[in-house]
């Protein structure tokens, strides 16, 4: 079959890979009908060494079950399903605690031999713990919104949940990518009253306003920090960091209020960063977040999409076929596209 | 009057300083009857440059009000009072939120011209927001326990509260200094069932067991991490870091369970440290803590001391007079004493 492969920074190609097949009785084989490119795919797109390539890509997909292993109980041939960006058994202590990204038997797509979502088909391990059936057709108009259950909506929701957003909250969201915008939507959905969005791409921040942002701050650095501190009367009680680069983290501890919480969902492209007296400790700031256990959130978020209360699929502003995937990366990297849908 | 002064690393002397006097109508003048040396005083004792000295020392004291400014309402001449390690107005938004260490008008003893507690008397700014009257005599047998309300008991309690300790919790406490031991006591008081204390000074860990530790791990580094992960079935849901040095922080993210919380109350002697995918982010670990707003906790903790339910004063194992303060530092630094009481 054909799939997207990353050969190194800036070099994505579509090529032949081995056809996936069931290996374990808990596997399912899914024919991908819709996938997409993630902001986090741009990290290797900008930095990956050619020595490590080629690697499979993509961790967000919807597809039709072609074949289910003998022990699979919850999905069957012909079902349309959505896959979270991590697969998980659904039964270990972490899964039962709602932390599927730490599943003791789980893993991530396109890592360690697992298939990637940007391709024609995927072998899905632990299908019962991983896949969720969707009660629509593969070409339903809701598909873009449903695809955000794979990652960006659940990730924005996780950021808000971990940040403690509730009725009346004041929240600052750093980053106007798809996750940042959906963190705005998720914060509004949980009742936040004041939502400051830090971003400077007007088309994106306009969508952020449509999702519920009450204020937009385009300034960065010290100027941006001062503006947010002014707007929030001395600092934001909740700050969502939806970028993953160190300047965004620095922005976060700059704008957070004493006693407040920084919730990170942008995958950190750094390991060490300041957490001492002058940044987190002195003001009793809490740092939380991590890879969202989106599988845990699908049951809660799905009805809001099906019943039209939220429309997270608006983050998709371009569609390509599988051959168009390299162009999708390029357009997102150049910030010509916010998020690119792939229809293999 | 006479007070302890630090001239540089390893060099504490008792000398003459200016007599304190009221400056503001919200001040009180307190004659110190009991003070002590803190584990955090050992950080400058080990590292302070002589170029910065001499500086006043001490931030924990009980004393008798000698004079109160015209606007002071809650304490009066003759009252025995305890001072938290930070002074605060009690009325700003942070104080009202119970975060007195971030008071917009507050500050810390022996910093920025404020008096230190290791001396004969202290000018206390913002007396109403800072001091709490004690219903005992200055020589009461409960004084050592009451003095822990200044810092170490409230700090241990803060660590447990921020860590989310509740009925049935499993907690690992890193550090067998006074704060670590009182974090054990505070965790037990809040209902923790399993309390693993990491420390290797038997006299201290024995006191930790008396305070409620169910397990003691003397090993450090990878060996200590493995032992705690074994004891807690894969990692501790709550980890209290009561040291402030980077190896203790590294121990903390080593032993914490996925989805768990590291609550720091040891003042970090580092600014940058690992917080990326491999340490905090990947496992959705929350990092919290900071300088304890001990003023907020006195009302809750005081009755437990007065009614004999807890005896945190057991952390004091040596008493000196003011002239003995340098010897107190030496003994604590050499780990001959756990915590030294000073009776000026």
């Amino acid at each position: 079959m054909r799939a997207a492969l990353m050969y190194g920074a800036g070099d994505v190609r579509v090529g032949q890979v081995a056809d996936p097949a069931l290996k374990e009785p808990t596997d399912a084989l899914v024919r991908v009908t819709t996938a997409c490119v993630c902001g986090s795919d741009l990290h290797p797109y900008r930095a990956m060494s050619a020595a490590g390539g080629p690697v499979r890509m993509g961790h967000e997909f919807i597809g039709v079950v072609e074949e289910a292993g003998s022990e699979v109980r919850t999905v069957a041939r012909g079902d349309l399903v959505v896959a979270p960006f991590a697969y998980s058994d659904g039964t270990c202590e972490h899964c039962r605690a709602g932390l599927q990204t730490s599943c003791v038997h789980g893993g991530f797509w396109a890592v360690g031999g697992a298939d990637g979502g940007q391709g024609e088909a995927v072998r899905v391990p632990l299908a019962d713990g991983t896949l969720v059936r969707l009660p629509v057709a593969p070409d339903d108009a809701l598909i873009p919104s449903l695809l955000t259950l794979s990652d960006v909506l659940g990730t924005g929701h996780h950021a808000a949940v971990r940040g403690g957003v509730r009725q009346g909250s004041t929240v600052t969201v750093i980053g106007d990518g798809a996750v940042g915008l959906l963190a705005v939507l998720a914060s509004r959905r949980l009742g936040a009253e004041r939502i400051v969005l830090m971003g400077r791409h007007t088309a994106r921040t306009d969508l952020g306003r449509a999702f519920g942002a009450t204020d937009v701050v385009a300034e960065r650095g010290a100027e941006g920090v001062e503006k947010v501190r002014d707007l929030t009367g001395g600092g934001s009680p909740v700050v969502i960091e939806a970028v993953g680069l160190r300047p965004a983290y620095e922005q976060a501890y700059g704008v957070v209020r004493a006693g407040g919480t920084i919730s990170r969902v942008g995958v950190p492209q750094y390991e060490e960063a300041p957490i001492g007296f002058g940044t987190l400790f002195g003001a009793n700031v809490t740092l939380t977040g991590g890879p969202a256990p989106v599988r845990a959130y699908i049951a809660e978020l799905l009805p809001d999409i099906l019943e039209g209360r939220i429309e997270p699929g608006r983050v998709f502003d371009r569609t390509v076929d599988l051959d168009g995937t390299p162009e999708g990366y390029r357009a997102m990297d150049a910030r010509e596209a916010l998020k690119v849908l792939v229809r293999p």
Side-chain angles (χ1 to χ4, degrees), chain A:
Chain A
M1 67 157 197
R2 304 176 69 242
L5 295 162
M6 187 174 288
Y7 283 77
D11 186 5
V12 176
R13 306 175 209 169
V14 175
Q16 286 291 328
V17 300
D19 286 335
L22 299 187
K23 281 189 190 167
E24 305 289 338
T26 49
D27 288 350
L29 194 65
V30 173
R31 173 78 36 190
V32 176
T33 54
T34 315
C36 57
V37 183
C38 187
S40 67
D41 292 333
L42 297 181
H43 294 314
Y45 189 75
R46 287 165 184 161
M48 182 181 145
S49 155
V55 294
R56 296 283 292 277
M57 295 299 296
H59 53 263
E60 301 150 285
F61 60 96
I62 283 174
V64 177
V65 177
E66 285 208 332
E67 196 180 350
S70 59
E71 292 179 15
V72 175
R73 295 284 171 269
T74 60
V75 298
R77 180 178 170 85
D79 284 346
L80 187 72
V81 293
V82 61
F85 70 79
Y87 56 89
S88 53
D89 63 18
T91 56
C92 78
E93 52 168 340
H94 295 309
C95 286
R96 280 182 280 124
L99 196 65
Q100 283 86 342
T101 43
S102 290
C103 175
V104 298
H105 299 114
F108 298 90
W109 304 115
V111 173
D115 291 329
Q118 294 162 9
E120 292 179 317
V122 171
R123 178 182 75 88
V124 175
L126 305 165
D128 280 339
T130 303
L131 299 172
V132 176
R133 213 171 61 77
L134 296 174
V136 299
D139 58 352
D140 194 283
L142 291 177
I143 288 294
S145 284
L146 293 167
L147 183 58
T148 67
L149 292 169
S150 269
D151 184 344
V152 285
L153 176 59
T155 295
H157 179 69
H158 184 60
V161 168
R162 282 283 168 144
V165 174
R166 53 177 171 267
Q167 202 62 43
S169 289
T170 293
V171 183
T172 297
V173 176
I174 298 172
D176 57 10
V179 170
L181 299 180
L182 291 177
V184 169
L185 180 150
S187 296
R188 182 72 201 96
R189 183 180 168 279
L190 291 170
E193 269 179 17
R194 187 85 184 266
I195 303 173
V196 181
L197 173 61
M198 299 190 80
R200 50 182 187 174
H201 296 80
T202 315
R204 298 179 180 198
T205 56
D206 284 352
L207 183 55
R209 287 187 196 272
F211 282 160
T214 53
D215 304 85
V216 169
V217 171
E219 292 83 354
R220 291 185 175 186
E223 202 183 347
V225 165
E226 196 187 331
K227 196 149 180 192
V228 174
R229 294 194 77 88
D230 277 355
L231 279 171
T232 54
S236 188
V238 181
V239 178
I240 291 174
E241 196 282 81
V243 179
L245 301 175
R246 187 167 152 151
Y249 172 69
E250 291 166 353
Q251 202 89 328
Y253 64 69
V255 302
V256 71
R257 193 187 204 78
T261 299
I262 297 170
S263 182
R264 289 185 300 169
V265 286
V267 182
Q269 302 303 301
Y270 53 86
E271 189 58 46
E272 300 220 351
I275 60 169
F277 201 94
T279 49
L280 301 189
F281 188 87
N284 270 282
V285 170
T286 295
L287 177 65
T288 189
V294 297
R295 180 62 173 80
Y297 300 133
I298 293 178
E300 177 183 347
L301 298 170
L302 178 58
D304 276 20
I305 295 173
L306 293 175
E307 293 156 25
R309 284 187 293 275
I310 57 175
E311 204 185 345
R314 293 176 68 183
V315 295
F316 293 106
D317 56 356
R318 189 172 297 195
T319 300
V320 296
D321 60 12
L322 189 57
D323 284 328
T325 310
E327 165 60 15
Y329 275 84
R330 192 207 56 76
M332 278 179 63
D333 181 49
R335 290 188 159 260
E336 292 167 18
L338 170 54
K339 191 165 175 75
V340 174
L341 207 70
V342 178
R343 296 205 186 260

